[in-house]
Amino acid sequence: MPGFRTPDAVVVGGGATGLVVAHELTARGLGVVVLEAGTWQQPQSEISSDLADMVHPVDGRWRWGPSDRRFPPWPRALEGIGFAPQIAAVGGLDLAGWGARPRAFVGSIESGWPIRYADLVPWYERIEELLPVRVPDLLAPKDQRFVDACLSERLAHLEGADVDRVGWRLQPSAILPFAHHEPALGERYPAIDGCTACGGCITGCRNPEGAPIERTAKRSAAVALAPAAWATGSLDLRTDVVATELLHEAGPDGLRRIRGIRYRTSDGTLVEQDADTVVLCAGAIETPRLVLQSALGIPGVTGRGLTCHLLDLVSGVVPDEIDPSLGPVSMARCDFPGNGSVFTIGLEPALFGLASSLGDPSAGSAGPWASSGASLGSTLKRRLEAWPRTLMLGISVDDRARAGNGIRLHPELVDEHGPIPRIRYEADDDSVRRRDWLARRAGELLLVAGADPDSIHRADAPTTLVHAHGTMRMGADATSAATDLDGRLHGTINAYVADASVFPNAIGGADPALTAQAIAARTAHLLAQRLDA
Amino acid sequence: MSDPTAAVLRAFCESVCPGLASDATAGAPDIAAERYVQHYLAPATVARIVEALERGSSFVGLDPGQRLERIERCRLDAGTRRDLDAAAAATLLAVYGSWSGRDAAGEPVRTPLGWQLTGFGGPSPSRLDQLER
């Protein structure tokens, strides 16, 4: 790997968006340093697909903490939030995602962003080609059950990628098509080439057995983009390092010029890396944290405006076994612009138990369910024993920003990288109403799907920041936006943000991964043009 | 962990996932899930949980229904809820994850309890033969 003294760009974060920036810039012959808090895992040898081994927040391989798991995870201060997953690893949080790659709802971009939906389309297409993104050609029983219910309800079947009306569709995902398997030819790659329906999207895709990285079925950025970027010879990916400060100096017109980045290695050494251009891709929590730690934040703006998708789960037991763990986690969904989405979700028993049993004790929602909220004890056990016949539907809400929600630096608590983020979230009343509305739609679909009415359970799940956005929102006005329309950090000459923190809204409730990666591709293209010039 | 603390933690785990003593199938007490919980929770968190559950009267002395009621009352406080939910999550992972199927060295030696209870087959390299084309 090259060791750049002054690369063309330094990218903070080697996750889903940072690797897009790295890929696009190195493809143009530009030298890129990527600073990543975690390490790279070789799918065949370092991904076990065991739930606790991979994603346990305390000592899982994909936790938020040092890669040496003898040391504790990095703490966070959460207010109003049940769980805020982060992953320190090449590939980032997307490693434990289920690969869904829907586009944003058209109306959300048109009504809430300072750029047009049409401005994003070329970058959607770029990412869809790169990963690649496909709709499934075959459904697992859980998804077929959902589709049949949508058809019974005469919901429109929509094809194409643009989301602009109510209807159900097959879920575009960064997952290879199902493999065709001839058992006589063997059980490993290349006899099996494609998705093996193992159901391990969340706990780590390593299949098919024996496959090279480039043919790993779930196309996280770690396997889809990092190898090509490395192959250019222009990528210097530094792992186990955490950026702690953007080093800046006065520039023209009262703007600040970033001259470098200070980062901390795993043994505590502080290193200063020169930089002509910096791109922040550390996500909606760590990007504003770094900006605030660097005294570059705009008061009342930087870190504010956090939105999530208020994910919830409604489940019901159908008469026949549908095996929730067969196939990719989610292959079908129904969109309700203005409210959000309802989608299939297949969770293994431990995750289903976690997601459905620890609901908000103060919530009490009316709908087509027999129970809601927390459920422990024998009730929980009976629900889990019905797992093979449980149809699970997730809901994702078109959230609105609420004053006070966001990321700040904790005034007292620190980890080895500085003040820890203090993350506060309280749902907006309209978002709660949309969530309730979607949950009722999910319950109704479960009934149509044949679920026993007495089995339908709404989790009323605590806020989980699986999808987090908006903390560095883009806009032309530097008094109300953290970044400009090109993603450049207001107040600076050469710092950019290219992750979901620039979203001005929750994009309708759609999974943010594709839109964040499209933003990253767009920003990389703009940067490359400027650097070439 | 002191015996009184262990007893309260064990009773909590039993409330989350009851075992053969009070339920038709095995659960947390039958695999000593409180060991898993105690491993992952900081001592201060365990202490707070015990203090909250024991407030007013013995938690261990309550019947299963009373224990669940007390847990739900305790969960109304945001801080206590966070601690209790962490312990409940650890209990569920102990029962329904792979832990109970592993030996002291972490090697898989049996089907974990929760997989037996639910019919989950665990990680698999391929399930193509179960898809209907």
Side-chain angles (χ1 to χ4, degrees), chain A residues 137-152:
Chain A
D137 59 354
L138 183 66
L139 295 180
K142 69 180 188 309
D143 308 281
Q144 189 63 58
R145 200 86 185 204
F146 174 77
V147 167
D148 291 343
C150 292
L151 289 169
S152 295

Side-chain angles (χ1 to χ4, degrees), chain A residues 101-187:
Chain A
R101 288 295 190 276
R103 295 185 181 182
F105 287 23
V106 176
S108 282
I109 304 296
E110 292 291 284
S111 66
W113 284 48
I115 61 175
R116 303 295 306 275
Y117 183 82
D119 295 327
L120 287 174
V121 169
W123 310 111
Y124 281 142
E125 293 173 345
R126 175 65 178 152
I127 299 298
E128 288 161 350
E129 176 193 12
L130 268 180
L131 294 180
V133 176
R134 297 279 186 272
V135 292
D137 59 354
L138 183 66
L139 295 180
K142 69 180 188 309
D143 308 281
Q144 189 63 58
R145 200 86 185 204
F146 174 77
V147 167
D148 291 343
C150 292
L151 289 169
S152 295
E153 288 290 274
R154 302 189 186 281
L155 290 163
H157 174 205
L158 303 176
E159 295 175 299
D162 298 326
V163 184
D164 58 6
R165 69 198 72 176
V166 174
W168 70 270
R169 67 183 70 221
L170 301 179
Q171 182 79 282
S173 299
I175 299 175
L176 295 178
F178 287 120
H180 287 268
H181 180 219
E182 296 292 334
L185 298 178
E187 301 296 323

